[in-house]
Amino acid sequence: MKQQKGILFAIWIGLLSALSGFVNITTLLLYEIPTTHMTGNISGVLIHSMAGEREKAITLLWIVLSFLLGGVCCGVIFSEKVFRFANRYGILLIVLGILLGFSYWLKLESIWIYQLAFTVGVQNSMFIYYRGMIVRTSHFTGYLTDTGFAIGRCLRGHRKDKIKIIFYSLSMLFFLFGGALAFEMAAWSKELLLFVISISYVLVGGYYFLFRHLYEYYHLLEEEA
């Protein structure tokens, strides 16, 4: 039962990672700006400011602030910094999807990039723990660092870190898969990408409730055994 619970949880995390990859490639294709990694965007604010390109600098600044606001939102919701399978995870993802859907339906193209940055900021700040690891489903610079560190520890004999290497590697593969899917779908219609993202957040939020129900069911069976 414990293995089934772990698989269900890992699938949810994998879906979130794939979704962040889809979002990032979407914004790169539509705006040539990433929304999952802010290091380059912060550097871009400085570069464009010093080059006198005020409009580009302001755009990047608002993207960074939108991502930051997503973190602020999660800081309010997950202020106690305790991970538990609560409704708020699923509800939050579904609400994000619905808001993106409204933006697509109302054709608010001018705010899409900022809304996606906010959405990824929320997703990345959701307080999720998996086997003692804090999960950042859109921040793969950190995952690369953690993977390298775990490999180094394994080389020194810390074999328990193998699970970390596997987890981080699979998360990055899911991120790449989501990005590849966005690239292929863009060949049909770039405008539909936001709609697909909207539906995906609703579905991933819905999966969370299914996964949590099954998780509790397996946990009950374990207690009865």
Side-chain angles (χ1 to χ4, degrees):
M1 296 299 176
K2 187 176 181 180
Q3 184 178 5
Q4 286 93 326
K5 291 193 298 183
I7 291 173
L8 290 169
F9 192 9
I11 289 173
W12 183 58
I13 294 172
L15 290 173
L16 288 171
S17 298
L19 189 48
S20 63
F22 194 103
V23 171
N24 198 48
I25 293 298
T26 294
T27 56
L28 283 170
L29 291 173
L30 295 180
Y31 307 100
E32 298 183 350
I33 300 172
T35 47
T36 61
H37 299 79
M38 292 297 115
T39 305
N41 288 341
I42 292 172
S43 299
V45 172
L46 176 63
I47 292 171
H48 291 301
S49 296
M50 297 189 72
E53 299 170 341
R54 184 170 174 271
E55 186 175 342
K56 290 183 179 179
I58 291 175
T59 296
L60 288 175
L61 179 60
W62 276 112
I63 290 171
V64 172
L65 292 175
S66 297
F67 188 92
L68 176 65
L69 186 59
V72 172
C73 178
C74 276
V76 173
I77 297 172
F78 303 99
S79 58
E80 71 278 13
K81 296 186 73 174
V82 174
F83 177 72
R84 60 177 181 271
F85 293 113
N87 289 336
R88 56 191 175 181
Y89 290 98
I91 292 172
L92 185 57
L93 291 169
I94 291 172
V95 168
L96 290 172
I98 291 172
L99 290 175
L100 288 168
F102 274 123
S103 183
Y104 175 80
W105 181 55
L106 296 172
K107 300 185 183 302
L108 302 176
E109 292 95 339
S110 60
I111 70 166
W112 286 357
I113 184 69
Y114 309 114
Q115 192 172 0
L116 287 170
F118 170 81
T119 300
V120 174
V122 170
Q123 180 184 327
N124 200 50
S125 301
M126 290 169 64
F127 199 80
I128 304 172
Y129 259 91
Y130 179 74
R131 295 195 175 188
M133 297 174 282
I134 189 164
V135 178
R136 301 293 187 192
T137 52
S138 73
H139 192 66
F140 290 87
T141 302
Y143 274 7
L144 278 173
T145 302
D146 292 337
T147 302
F149 188 80
I151 291 172
R153 280 177 54 82
C154 277
L155 292 174
R156 289 297 301 270
H158 298 274
R159 301 303 179 189
K160 289 184 178 180
D161 276 30
K162 283 184 178 180
I163 185 63
K164 293 183 180 181
I165 298 171
I166 294 170
F167 173 78
Y168 293 136
S169 299
L170 286 176
S171 294
M172 287 185 280
L173 285 175
F174 273 101
F175 181 87
L176 291 173
F177 172 77
L181 190 60
F183 185 84
E184 290 298 323
M185 293 187 70
W188 303 337
S189 173
K190 289 184 179 180
E191 289 73 23
L192 281 177
L193 290 176
L194 186 73
F195 178 72
V196 172
I197 292 170
S198 168
I199 296 298
S200 297
Y201 271 104
V202 173
L203 291 176
V204 173
Y207 172 81
Y208 171 79
F209 287 111
L210 173 63
F211 141 65
R212 194 190 70 165
H213 175 75
L214 291 174
Y215 191 96
E216 292 174 346
Y217 172 72
Y218 286 134
H219 184 71
L220 183 62
L221 290 179
E222 286 178 352
E223 290 182 341
E224 292 177 350

